[in-house]
Structures are given as C-alpha cells and as structure tokens.
Amino acid sequence: MAYFNNIQQIKYEGAASTNPNAFKFYNPAEKIGDKTMEEYLRFGVAYWHTFVADGTDPFGAGTMVRPWDKFTGMDQAKARVEAAFEFFEKLNVPFFCFHDVDIAPEGDTLRETYQNLDTIVAMIKDYMKDSKTKLLWNTVNNFTNPRFVHGAATSNNADIFAYSAAKVKKGLEVGKELGAENYVFWGGREGYETLLNTDMKLEMDNLGRFMHMAVDYAKEINFDAQFLIEPKPKEPTTHQYDFDVATGYAFLQNYGLQDHFKFNIEANHATLAGHTFEHELRYARVNGMLGSVDANQGDPLIGWDTDEFPTDLYATTLAMYEIIKNGGLGRGGLNFDAKVRRGSFETDDLFHAHIAGMDSFAIGLKVANKLIEDQVFENILDDRYSSYKEGIGLDIVEGKTDFHKLEDYALGLTNIENKSGRLEKIKATVNQYLLRTFAGE
Ligand code: XLS
Ligand code: CA
Ligand code: CA
C-alpha cells in the first residue's frame, strides 16, 4: 500500500526551481571538497516526529491525521513501517532513527513489549534489505511511561533502574540486529526537580554504573556502534545531569567513560543551555568528542524545546564549518530531530519540512566550504593570536615559562598594545560569503 500517492521521487532541480517537491540546493552527488554532499550530510529522518507525533501540545489535541492512523496497535505499527520506507525512498534519505516505543507499542508486560518489538524489528530488517536507508541510531524511551516519573538509571527506585537496564539491553540487541551505526543515550528524566529530596551523588554514581554496564553488554554481543550522549540542560527535569557538552564530558571523565562515548549535539538543546549550536559543536570537536548531530532549531523568543526544522542559514553555515573542520561526522549524521508545526498538519508538510532542512544544510555546507577554502576564519585567528608565535607567547605555549619568568617580562614592559577584534567587519564578510556563494562569484 502507498501512503504518499501524490508525491513523486524528490529530485534536485537547482536554485531556480519553483517546485515545492524538489531540492533547490541539496544535490547528493555534487562534490564539495573531497566528499560528495551525501557523504558530508548523512541526513536522517526521526521516526517519532515524522511517523508518530500528531501535533498534541499542552493546550490542545493532535491536529495531524496521517494515513496510517486508520489502524491501531500492531497494525498501525506495521503501517508506519510501510509508510516510513516509502517516505525514505521518495526523499532519498540515507538514514533514520527511532526510540523503541516509536516503532512498536508497549505491551502489558516487559515480555510482551519485547515480542512486539521483535515482530516490528523483523519487518524493518526485511524492508532494509531492499532499501538504501540505514539506521543512523536507535535508543530507548525511558521517560514517557509513568513508571519513569523519578527518572530511569537515576531513579530512587532500584526496580526502575533494573527495568531501564533491561530496556537498554534490548535496545542494544535491536541496534545490532538492524546494523545501527550509533546508539544514543539522551538523559530523559535523568536529572532532578529539587535537592530537597534528591541524593545527587548516588544518582550520578548510578548513572555511571549504568553506562559501564551498557558498554560491557555491547562488547559482550559484539555490537560495535558508536555510543553517543545527547546533552540537554532542562526539560523535562529542571536540572538535567547532561546539561551541555562540557558537563557531559566532565561526567564521562569522572566515571572513566570518555573513551567509549562521543556526543550527539542538538541545536535546540544548545540554545536551551544558553549556548550557540556552534559553541557545542566546537567544544566537542576540539576535545575529539563530536559524534553526531540532531539538526533542528529553537525559537529564540521562546524558552523551550520547539524542535523546528532548521532553516537559519547562518546557523547551518557555522555548524557545517565545525563539521568540515572535524573531517565530517564519521559514523554520525544529521538527524532531523524536528517536527512540523502544529498548524502544518497536512502530510505533504512532512516532505516540505525535510526538503527545507536538507536544502538549508546543503547551503551551509557550500558556504562553509568556501569560507574554509579561502581560509577566512583561519587568517583571522592567525593574525589575532600572532603574539603566541614568537617571543614570550611562544615560550608560554611551549611550556617554557613560569610565574617568575612572566613577572620579569611584565616588569620590563613599557607599552602594551591591543588590536581591534573587528567583529562587525567579520560579520559583514560572512554575509558576503552567504550571498556570493550562490551568485556564482
Ligand atoms: C528530546 C531529545 C530526544 C532524543 C532521543 O528532547 O531530543 O528526542 O534525541 O531520545
Ligand atoms: Ca534530540
Ligand atoms: Ca529536542
């Protein structure tokens, strides 16, 4: 059965195209530097937003009626698989991502939940045989069901710790079965509302123990996916333990896990943490910890996780700059953890939204690549930090100084000169690159 009858294969038609169902900038085969666009961008579709979400918000019921909604239970889960693979093929997207509960309904018991999962995983595996779309990552949802009210691995209830472990164990088996490139751990309710009833030390130690058991089990079953921590500062808990990359990195180091994980960085989570998207990418990159990206954007006027499709070209450009500098994302990718707005409830909107996101990252890739070819930021940094290339600066970076030597040097200084940071000039240059890349200059 077909679910998107009015949509044909989405193709690249170039910037002048007025066809809403065509890529204007994403041209998978086009070479950018030493890779094709498809190799750099490694786009993924998020199962939960695209095939499960119905537009429900805290003030109103769902607005989206999908063709698979005429079914319920396992029949609906099977219809979603059929629709998903039709969608992936029509969009020509190389990857998808899911939580366990997105693909199969929970049963009355954990055993029954496993059975439902096994049925759908077998079906997905079958579809994957005839599809080029692979699993970028899977994860488990240990936050929606009321049993996770106090968290999962950080719950005060040891039974919930065990239950959560069982679900992750199954998640790792599912990832192996479907050849997942990565496995994601987003904190869910791993955090707290108030210290008045929270043993922070025990909760964090337990989270460390949990992650070690996950690493051990993946090794035991030879599941070689890259493990990713996805930071988020708040929502649903007030204080999430994996606040941002820096906090997550400290956690991994404290518990001796840093060699087993990288980060999955979500744009909207970065902004919720009071950072830019590129800040989080840079922090991970310079520490060798950039693994994958949840490509979306937040609304700067609203302080919550709106998961919008990415269309801000300035942000996609600076993000792609980090990704190119990282040599690409390796086994990671750009997963659209993004949802159409509640008012965009027609099925075609799902295609338009992904096309908008893919084109926005294709533009970002082209502009960032040009900025790098011309060494725009590299020259700025070279000049700005030139004091560390000779004299006392070189001694500092080569570790040849101490406070005595620096004091002697400072006492001998008669005149200290600073240079302008030239921020406005730099921003104007970025604008010029954004406009000129597509003017063919
Ligand atoms: C929620 C997170 C979540 C993770 C996967 O805010 O973004 O969807 O990506 O559990
Ligand atoms: Ca996410
Ligand atoms: Ca989010």
Side-chain angles (χ1 to χ4, degrees):
M1 176 172 167
Y3 291 86
F4 308 103
N5 279 318
N6 56 337
I7 305 276
Q8 311 303 314
Q9 182 70 48
I10 310 293
K11 294 200 182 111
Y12 169 70
E13 290 185 4
S17 168
T18 54
N19 177 2
N21 294 324
F23 298 118
K24 322 293 183 303
F25 303 100
Y26 177 59
N27 183 9
E30 188 176 327
K31 269 267 168 104
I32 304 290
D34 57 344
K35 292 188 182 40
T36 62
M37 274 202 184
E38 190 170 30
E39 283 165 347
Y40 256 128
L41 296 169
R42 294 170 61 84
F43 290 124
V45 172
Y47 212 94
W48 54 102
H49 287 309
T50 302
F51 308 111
V52 181
D54 65 358
T56 301
D57 77 7
F59 303 97
T63 55
M64 295 156 194
V65 180
R66 304 298 188 207
W68 46 88
D69 287 341
K70 56 177 173 260
F71 304 104
T72 55
M74 285 295 279
D75 289 338
Q76 187 185 38
K78 289 176 187 168
R80 282 187 177 126
V81 175
E82 291 174 4
F85 279 87
E86 184 189 341
F87 188 84
F88 302 153
E89 197 177 320
K90 288 191 164 161
L91 195 62
N92 184 27
V93 77
F95 292 104
F96 70 115
C97 302
F98 63 77
H99 302 82
D100 52 356
V101 302
D102 306 330
I103 59 166
E106 286 187 89
D108 290 337
T109 62
L110 185 57
R111 235 175 261 285
E112 206 179 303
T113 299
Y114 284 177
Q115 280 161 11
N116 290 350
L117 264 174
D118 289 341
T119 305
I120 300 298
V121 166
M123 183 175 171
I124 290 179
K125 194 173 180 183
D126 222 39
Y127 268 75
M128 286 175 79
K129 282 186 196 139
D130 301 317
S131 166
K132 69 164 229 182
T133 305
K134 297 201 226 132
L135 186 57
L136 183 64
W137 52 260
N138 67 311
T139 185
V140 298
N141 177 327
N142 281 353
F143 44 89
T144 298
N145 191 293
R147 72 174 65 87
F148 301 114
V149 59
H150 300 309
T154 64
S155 172
N156 55 302
N157 183 347
D159 284 354
I160 295 299
F161 185 100
Y163 196 98
S164 306
K167 284 193 74 199
V168 171
K169 176 176 177 287
K170 183 72 178 170
L172 296 171
E173 291 160 11
V174 165
K176 180 175 159 77
E177 180 71 8
L178 297 178
E181 303 258 344
N182 307 271
Y183 186 88
V184 162
F185 294 85
W186 167 59
R189 292 180 195 274
E190 311 295 31
Y192 66 91
E193 209 175 338
T194 166
L195 283 179
L196 297 176
N197 63 7
T198 300
D199 185 339
M200 183 195 268
K201 177 81 168 70
L202 177 65
E203 291 197 1
M204 295 199 64
D205 287 350
N206 279 348
L207 189 58
R209 291 182 185 103
F210 193 94
M211 293 305 192
H212 271 289
M213 288 187 247
V215 168
D216 291 346
Y217 188 65
K219 206 166 161 197
E220 185 185 326
I221 62 169
N222 289 318
F223 177 39
D224 71 346
Q226 174 172 267
F227 272 20
L228 300 169
I229 296 245
E230 182 182 322
K232 183 175 184 179
K234 52 192 164 206
E235 283 189 58
T237 73
T238 315
H239 307 273
Q240 296 277 129
Y241 288 132
D242 300 327
F243 187 93
D244 60 1
V245 175
T247 314
Y249 192 37
F251 167 82
L252 292 175
Q253 288 173 312
N254 278 345
Y255 292 95
L257 289 158
Q258 68 276 18
D259 296 338
H260 303 287
F261 286 82
K262 285 192 174 175
F263 287 96
N264 181 40
I265 295 171
E266 179 174 318
N268 202 167
H269 296 182
T271 50
L272 281 177
H275 300 308
T276 57
F277 184 19
E278 60 270 21
H279 166 95
E280 289 291 82
L281 294 168
R282 175 74 60 94
Y283 199 102
R285 171 168 78 80
V286 299
N287 286 294
M289 298 297 282
L290 176 52
S292 198
V293 169
D294 270 5
N296 62 12
Q297 67 186 31
D299 186 330
L301 302 178
I302 300 177
W304 68 82
D305 192 17
T306 56
D307 285 345
E308 295 171 31
F309 273 85
T311 50
D312 176 343
L313 304 181
Y314 212 93
T316 58
T317 297
L318 297 184
M320 286 315 301
Y321 175 84
E322 297 303 327
I323 292 170
I324 298 173
K325 286 293 231 185
N326 196 55
L329 287 170
R331 303 190 75 181
L334 295 169
N335 163 48
F336 289 114
D337 190 351
K339 57 186 174 205
V340 287
R341 299 302 86 195
R342 193 161 178 273
S344 307
F345 50 78
E346 295 187 35
T347 304
D348 292 3
D349 291 308
L350 294 174
F351 281 93
H352 299 160
H354 282 86
I355 292 168
M358 290 163 85
D359 272 343
S360 297
F361 267 91
I363 293 172
L365 171 61
K366 286 186 109 165
V367 179
N369 183 61
K370 191 82 184 99
L371 283 161
I372 291 172
E373 271 177 10
D374 293 353
Q375 298 280 287
V376 173
F377 297 131
E378 290 70 13
N379 289 339
I380 290 168
L381 298 192
D382 249 19
D383 181 51
R384 189 152 189 257
Y385 293 88
S386 59
S387 69
Y388 287 95
K389 291 201 190 102
E390 54 185 23
I392 193 74
L394 189 59
D395 286 350
I396 292 171
V397 296
E398 288 184 343
K400 291 182 186 156
T401 51
D402 57 21
F403 272 12
H404 296 290
K405 198 171 164 189
L406 292 169
E407 184 185 49
D408 284 349
Y409 178 83
L411 288 170
L413 285 171
T414 47
N415 185 28
I416 297 180
E417 263 182 60
N418 271 313
K419 286 196 220 159
S420 166
R422 304 240 182 269
L423 184 56
E424 298 75 7
K425 182 181 159 212
I426 296 169
K427 285 186 171 177
T429 305
V430 175
N431 281 352
Q432 236 180 331
Y433 270 79
L434 262 160
L435 294 169
R436 278 206 329 226
T437 304
F438 292 92
E441 282 176 45

